[in-house]
Amino acid sequence: MTLIPTDEELLGQLRNGEENAFAVIYKRYATELRNFAAARIGLREDAEEIVQEVFVSLWVRRDNLTSRIDLRPYLFTSVKYMIIRYISHRKVKQKYAEHYRLFEAAYDSLEITDLDPETTRAFMDKALAQLPVRCQEALNMRLKENLSNSDIAARMNISKATVENYIVSGVKSLRESFRDFFAVR
């Protein structure tokens, strides 16, 4: 007759690097944790990813686990904090997506077809020249080369979030310049 190991025994084995203990812990808690996460975020695939990250973290941090840890609450707390990070990140992504939609709407709504191309180009160059240099670079890559934020980030050796900030602030400034330009005409 095989005895079912307790969480405390499994933690001890996990601290010793025993993969079988990790597998038992995973089998014991993964489904319950995934259901917990899915109920809170509504997306099963993302819930699965959160649980995977928690288990990867458990394995990586196994040496730092103490015998005083109560495994089940520890795992649920870890999932809870990952859900909070996930929701926070999702809100930031939604904010940038909204800024980008506003940019596209403003850019597409400009009626510059009745201007000659040289006047339009001269105005655009002047408006771009008023922006900070790195912002100009990012906008030129977007407008002239039609690069994605990821491609721009790689080329400029900066984060994608920084590129998004450059694009949003640059477009806001260009939009104001266009408004002023058309108000004068």
Side-chain angles (χ1 to χ4, degrees), residues 28-43:
R28 189 174 286 179
Y29 291 108
T31 301
E32 188 178 8
L33 291 169
R34 188 174 36 254
N35 291 340
F36 175 79
R40 277 138 189 89
I41 63 173
L43 298 169

Side-chain angles (χ1 to χ4, degrees), residues 45-164:
E45 297 81 20
D46 290 349
E48 176 69 35
E49 196 170 309
I50 286 170
V51 171
Q52 293 300 324
E53 286 183 44
V54 166
F55 276 102
V56 167
S57 175
L58 179 68
W59 178 256
V60 169
R61 302 168 79 195
R62 68 186 178 277
D63 296 335
N64 300 328
L65 298 173
T66 66
S67 58
R68 291 175 284 156
I69 290 176
D70 194 359
L71 186 59
R72 186 175 190 281
Y74 175 83
L75 291 171
F76 273 90
T77 300
S78 296
V79 169
K80 181 179 80 171
Y81 284 114
M82 290 295 292
I83 290 169
I84 291 168
R85 265 187 31 204
Y86 169 86
I87 290 170
S88 175
H89 182 69
R90 186 168 61 183
K91 286 180 181 179
V92 169
K93 283 173 58 175
Q94 288 171 342
K95 181 180 112 183
Y96 280 114
E98 181 61 26
H99 281 298
Y100 189 72
R101 280 191 295 278
L102 290 173
F103 160 69
E104 284 185 323
Y107 188 76
D108 290 342
S109 68
L110 292 173
E111 295 293 332
I112 56 176
T113 55
D114 57 337
L115 299 176
D116 67 276
E118 290 174 23
T119 304
T120 304
R121 179 94 231 113
F123 171 76
M124 186 68 143
D125 290 342
K126 182 180 174 187
L128 280 170
Q130 294 174 359
L131 298 173
V133 174
R134 299 289 278 174
C135 187
Q136 287 178 37
E137 290 175 32
L139 272 173
N140 277 322
M141 286 185 221
R142 167 59 56 74
L143 296 173
K144 293 179 181 177
E145 300 176 46
N146 201 25
L147 294 179
S148 69
N149 288 352
S150 298
D151 293 336
I152 294 169
R155 196 180 282 184
M156 292 179 72
N157 199 25
I158 56 177
S159 73
K160 187 176 169 185
T162 302
V163 171
E164 290 168 349

